[in-house]
Amino acid sequence: MLYLDPPAVPSRGRLWSHLISDLSYAELHAFAEALGVPRRGFDRDHYDVPAERVPMAVWLGARLVPSREIVLLLRAAGLRRPKPRTVSVPAAREAGISAGSRVPG
């Protein structure tokens, strides 16, 4: 099944939604292609979808869910890929490592 949240993330003068699959990335990529969302819209585990494409996504079968459910659905499906944690500048100075370095974990 494919899911997206209501458009609420502002960027580049538009509002954006997150499109996910609870089955596979292959399903997600195929749906995004059918929707006309370019591959550059893929961000680790979801596609960023502009607000004007949301009605078409729903018409094609995506289910609109609250934003808080997106991560829950990804985790339940084992498809969540969170951003790597980075070290803040003050913490990096204190630890003697370069800021922006990835923290294992």
Side-chain angles (χ1 to χ4, degrees), residues 35-104:
L35 186 58
V37 176
R39 186 68 177 247
R40 70 179 176 270
F42 183 67
D43 186 13
R44 294 177 328 274
D45 54 13
H46 69 276
Y47 273 88
D48 293 321
V49 177
E52 61 269 15
R53 299 229 185 213
V54 169
M56 178 60 77
V58 172
W59 186 81
L60 289 171
R63 183 171 168 217
L64 198 61
V65 298
S67 297
R68 67 182 178 276
E69 285 190 38
I70 293 292
V71 171
L72 296 174
L73 288 162
L74 283 171
R75 284 186 182 144
L79 297 172
R80 178 72 171 133
R81 290 183 183 164
K83 287 184 181 179
R85 294 183 308 185
T86 59
V87 178
S88 68
V89 173
R93 285 188 190 130
E94 186 175 311
I97 58 177
S98 62
S101 297
R102 290 184 179 183
V103 177

